[in-house]
Amino acid sequence: MYDPVKARARRIKLGLTVPQLADRMGVDSARVYRWENGERLPSLTSFVGLAHALRIPFESLLRYADDESRPALITAEIRRAELPGERETIRFRRDAAIEIVTDRVRARTTNNH
């Protein structure tokens, strides 16, 4: 299911520290460290939240393309997307790119005030 190497690589590519990623997700840093070190697996809900925090489709964090957990992850994503205030589902690279640009604009706006 979850590939910690892919998650860590994506976090580094985005220039995020573990505490920053944890803050984005609303979890503590120790939890993210354990996921990245392969000590623990994220729950389905956390897995989907991690993918969103990393601005990628959840399939990008799967170890195998034909992962049997895909239906459960899709269900978790649908439930997440139905919550008030949640962002759109990231399905494609362009969706991820839009989220990254949005993050940069928000960061500039926050830093300028």
Side-chain angles (χ1 to χ4, degrees):
M1 180 180 148
Y2 168 70
D3 190 337
V5 173
K6 290 180 181 179
R8 184 173 190 272
R10 179 62 178 184
R11 176 183 59 76
I12 291 168
K13 183 176 181 178
L14 290 176
L16 294 172
T17 64
V18 169
Q20 288 170 329
L21 177 59
D23 185 54
R24 234 184 219 194
M25 293 184 65
V27 299
D28 61 54
S29 297
R31 184 177 296 188
V32 176
Y33 279 116
R34 287 191 296 267
W35 294 338
E36 283 193 2
N37 292 329
E39 295 172 26
R40 298 228 175 189
L41 291 175
S43 68
L44 292 176
T45 303
S46 294
F47 185 95
V48 170
L50 178 61
H52 277 270
L54 292 172
R55 307 301 188 237
I56 53 177
F58 70 78
E59 289 94 348
S60 298
L61 294 177
L62 293 175
R63 188 165 286 161
Y64 307 106
D66 61 346
D67 196 305
E68 69 275 355
S69 61
R70 186 180 304 273
L73 287 167
I74 291 170
T75 301
E77 171 57 26
I78 291 168
R79 287 185 183 140
R80 185 211 59 83
E82 290 174 343
L83 295 173
E86 285 296 330
R87 292 178 160 185
E88 293 285 322
T89 298
I90 297 174
R91 292 189 178 122
F92 306 104
R93 288 185 185 182
R94 74 166 188 274
D95 297 336
I98 290 167
E99 289 295 323
I100 291 169
V101 169
T102 302
D103 290 341
R104 289 180 184 151
V105 169
R106 283 189 183 126
R108 280 190 212 134
T109 305
T110 302
N111 293 335
N112 290 334
H113 290 289

